[in-house]
Amino acid sequence: MKRKIYIIGSGFSALAASCYLAQKGHQVTVFEKNETIGGRARQLIKNNFTFDIGPTWYWMPDVFERFFEDFGKKPSDYYELIKLSPAYKVYFGVNSFVTIADNLPEIIATFETVEKGSGVVLEKFMAEAQSNYDIAIKDLVYRPGVSPLELITPETALKVGQFFSTISKEVRKRFTNDKLIQILEFPVLFLGAKPSDTPAFYSFMNFADFGMGTWHPKNGMYSVILAIENLARELGVTFKTNASVDKIIVENKKAIGISVNNKIDYCDLVLSGADYHHTETLLDPIDRAYSEKYWEKKTFAPSSLLFYVGFDKKVENVEHHTLFFDVSFKKHAEAIYDNPSWPEEPLFYASFPSKTDDSVAPEGCEAGIFLIPLAPGIEDTEELREKYFLKIMSRFEEITQQKIKNNIIFRQSFCVSDFIKDYNSYKGNAYGMANTLLQTAFLRPKLKSKKVGNLYFTGQLTVPGPGVPPSLISGKLVAALIEKNK
């Protein structure tokens, strides 16, 4: 039976779901509250500079390939991929840095120069990480989180101990050098939790990093959004922007339509790719599956303070992706997860896409994106944004040994209140609910509403979790569940 399906939101998961559902012959319409599609992966264009507002890391290229392959396509049909070489640089202080190459043999050699004997250890660690990747990304994450039995396979039975240990413990068993430990713990930050709270099985993120490399889609991550939009339109999906959904219409315990800009529009099924908590506020309290107390108890991925900066000259001594781990990771993590507050001295990340891609900045100029991870729900003022911009700029200048403050043409910031305003994000979190042991697979909010028929969810607060590749997978999972339940 072909149905009229309305999708709320147009981020990666919603776009992916729209493609799969349209492929099955359903009449699909996507409603986006903002002027442009893309959800958190929108684009900022200003003074001839182009910035990705949200995700800037392109990891797990195989997941993107698998997505397009489902439609008889390839990523290269829509956008050009550039492998970053080196992948990124990590600063630990002035004249103290480690550069991560674009291939594992060189990374192993780098580790060996930092800590004697660590190269061999890394090789073994990466073999385990690849094994976990093969189990997780090629199999487990493509399961809908309906039952705990989904996690029980002959392969996972051999790795059960890794679900009860942590990344932090496993890395520290093998390595003693603080720099190497921080580099190995870094990838799991994409999962939204501290390494000390992330199951050791998630070392597959290290394989995504060292084993598969870091990529850049020409013209930025938004080119991937445009690619999936083009695919969706080819499949017959309709898009409506500036379309704010203010109510999900429920009758006899079934979703029968939505109110868009205060006008009711009827359909057969509603799928929300918007923030899960926000979507439930579009329902009457009796129809909500999860209470406020439920959400309060969950561990959310951090929010972020972001700056999009245009420089009138080239910035030196940095790579496309550059991490600044010159202050205490432990103290910053405590300010995010244990005692939500503004960190005294924040770690931060800087991206300079114009190092790779001439199209994103005028000639002789540099486009810079700076990100400070923050606790969701904390105070957000212009004064605090300014204070922290000056903090990281001073450290940036000192560590990279150059002056750049006076070369800023413009800057624009984005923080907790913007995540709430633009994306209805719970407490202004930047990328969903963290993947801790008790928030994995079947323990995450469900793809299908437990209270309302014909109401489904997709995205970073449901399965499989945070990040762009998991969001694409989430769209596939919910579309399959809808087909199964028709």
Side-chain angles (χ1 to χ4, degrees):
M1 183 176 71
K2 307 310 177 190
R3 290 184 278 185
K4 185 179 182 182
I5 296 175
Y6 285 171
I7 298 180
I8 306 171
S10 65
F12 278 107
S13 58
L15 288 177
S18 77
C19 292
Y20 286 109
L21 292 167
Q23 186 186 42
K24 292 294 185 182
H26 298 293
Q27 183 187 335
V28 181
T29 305
V30 174
F31 295 84
E32 169 55 54
K33 74 184 280 287
N34 294 307
E35 285 181 21
T36 56
I37 69 156
R40 298 173 200 223
R42 292 179 303 149
Q43 197 175 53
L44 169 66
I45 299 175
K46 191 167 181 177
N47 293 28
N48 296 316
F49 289 85
T50 303
F51 303 90
D52 284 313
I53 291 178
T56 54
W57 293 76
Y58 190 106
W59 273 3
M60 304 184 189
D62 56 322
V63 174
F64 295 85
E65 287 162 12
R66 187 165 169 178
F67 168 76
F68 284 105
E69 198 176 276
D70 285 341
F71 304 92
K73 305 282 187 179
K74 303 187 294 292
S76 58
D77 293 333
Y78 297 96
Y79 55 90
E80 180 188 340
L81 269 185
I82 304 160
K83 191 174 190 185
L84 299 186
S85 181
Y88 55 91
K89 176 184 269 191
V90 187
Y91 272 108
F92 297 95
V94 180
N95 294 320
S96 176
F97 61 86
V98 175
T99 301
I100 300 300
D102 68 347
N103 63 87
L104 188 53
E106 278 189 60
I107 297 169
I108 288 167
T110 297
F111 269 52
E112 190 63 29
T113 63
V114 175
E115 180 181 339
K116 193 165 175 55
S118 66
V120 176
V121 178
L122 178 63
E123 203 166 0
K124 288 179 183 172
F125 180 73
M126 289 305 297
E128 287 176 25
Q130 181 170 2
S131 168
N132 289 354
Y133 190 92
D134 289 343
I135 294 167
I137 305 302
K138 295 178 182 176
D139 183 20
L140 288 186
V141 294
Y142 285 91
R143 300 182 182 199
V146 173
S147 160
L149 296 177
E150 292 172 6
L151 294 178
I152 301 169
T153 69
E155 292 81 12
T156 57
L158 298 172
K159 293 179 180 279
V160 68
Q162 292 189 35
F163 287 94
F164 296 98
S165 183
T166 68
I167 285 286
S168 192
K169 280 181 187 171
E170 294 306 310
V171 167
R172 281 168 166 75
K173 271 184 197 173
R174 295 166 169 81
F175 302 90
T176 57
N177 183 278
D178 282 342
K179 292 176 184 176
L180 300 185
I181 287 169
Q182 286 189 68
I183 289 168
L184 287 166
E185 288 183 339
F186 150 68
V188 301
L189 298 180
F190 285 103
L191 301 172
K194 289 191 290 188
S196 56
D197 290 334
T198 303
F201 182 72
Y202 285 98
S203 67
F204 64 71
M205 290 296 292
N206 294 107
F207 180 72
D209 178 2
F210 291 174
M212 306 191 82
T214 303
W215 302 75
H216 171 75
K218 190 163 174 55
N219 302 317
M221 287 292 285
Y222 196 65
S223 62
V224 187
I225 288 288
L226 295 178
I228 303 174
E229 178 198 11
N230 287 339
L231 173 61
R233 289 187 186 278
E234 289 165 19
L235 292 163
V237 177
T238 301
F239 288 87
K240 295 187 179 182
T241 54
N242 295 309
S244 182
V245 176
D246 43 73
K247 184 81 175 170
I248 295 171
I249 311 302
V250 177
E251 199 173 273
N252 298 323
K253 289 294 178 185
K254 282 190 176 180
I256 60 164
I258 55 178
S259 171
V260 185
N261 299 332
N262 297 309
K263 183 182 174 186
I264 293 176
D265 201 340
Y266 294 98
C267 62
D268 300 312
L269 186 145
V270 176
L271 166 61
S272 179
D275 179 274
Y276 204 123
H277 170 269
H278 168 72
T279 304
E280 287 224 310
T281 69
L282 304 178
L283 298 163
D284 291 332
I286 196 169
D287 293 324
R288 297 171 193 170
Y290 302 101
S291 66
E292 285 299 318
K293 193 178 286 186
Y294 170 89
W295 296 111
E296 280 289 337
K297 286 181 177 177
K298 294 300 168 187
T299 300
F300 275 79
S303 185
S304 299
L305 170 55
L306 290 135
F307 295 100
Y308 311 101
V309 187
F311 296 97
D312 66 7
K313 70 168 188 177
K314 286 295 181 185
V315 178
E316 298 172 354
N317 304 326
V318 290
E319 300 296 342
H320 183 126
H321 294 303
T322 307
L323 303 162
F324 292 82
F325 286 178
D326 55 306
V327 296
S328 168
F329 173 83
K330 186 171 180 288
K331 285 183 180 174
H332 191 155
E334 285 170 1
I336 295 173
Y337 297 102
D338 304 330
N339 178 32
S341 56
W342 283 81
E344 262 184 60
E345 289 298 338
L347 287 81
F348 67 98
Y349 151 68
S351 174
F352 299 94
S354 44
K355 291 284 175 197
T356 304
D357 191 342
D358 292 338
S359 69
V360 302
E363 190 176 347
C365 297
E366 203 86 86
I369 302 166
F370 298 83
L371 181 152
I372 301 172
L374 294 174
I378 61 173
E379 181 188 16
D380 171 17
T381 66
E382 285 302 321
E383 292 75 21
L384 281 165
R385 295 185 190 198
E386 178 69 18
K387 175 184 173 182
Y388 278 80
F389 183 74
L390 294 175
K391 259 182 193 279
I392 64 171
M393 278 298 106
S394 295
R395 277 174 41 210
F396 183 92
E397 288 188 333
E398 181 188 0
I399 290 166
T400 63
Q401 300 181 311
Q402 65 192 309
K403 297 291 182 187
I404 58 167
K405 283 180 199 164
N406 294 334
N407 296 97
I408 293 172
I409 302 170
F410 76 88
R411 80 169 195 256
Q412 191 162 316
S413 64
F414 198 95
C415 198
V416 175
S417 59
D418 299 300
F419 280 101
I420 294 169
K421 176 174 67 73
D422 286 5
Y423 312 129
N424 295 310
S425 169
Y426 181 70
K427 291 187 175 182
N429 79 81
Y431 47 99
M433 187 185 285
N435 257 336
T436 59
L437 180 62
L438 297 178
Q439 293 181 179
T440 293
F442 67 97
L443 296 171
R444 296 179 72 79
K446 301 299 182 189
L447 292 167
K448 185 179 188 298
S449 171
K450 295 187 284 186
K451 292 279 194 82
V452 179
N454 294 337
L455 175 60
Y456 292 79
F457 300 83
T458 187
Q460 301 185 108
L461 270 71
T462 180
V463 292
V468 175
S471 292
L472 290 178
I473 294 166
S474 187
K476 179 174 184 171
L477 291 176
V478 75
L481 199 60
I482 288 168
E483 280 298 292
K484 184 182 175 184
N485 291 333
K486 69 182 181 183

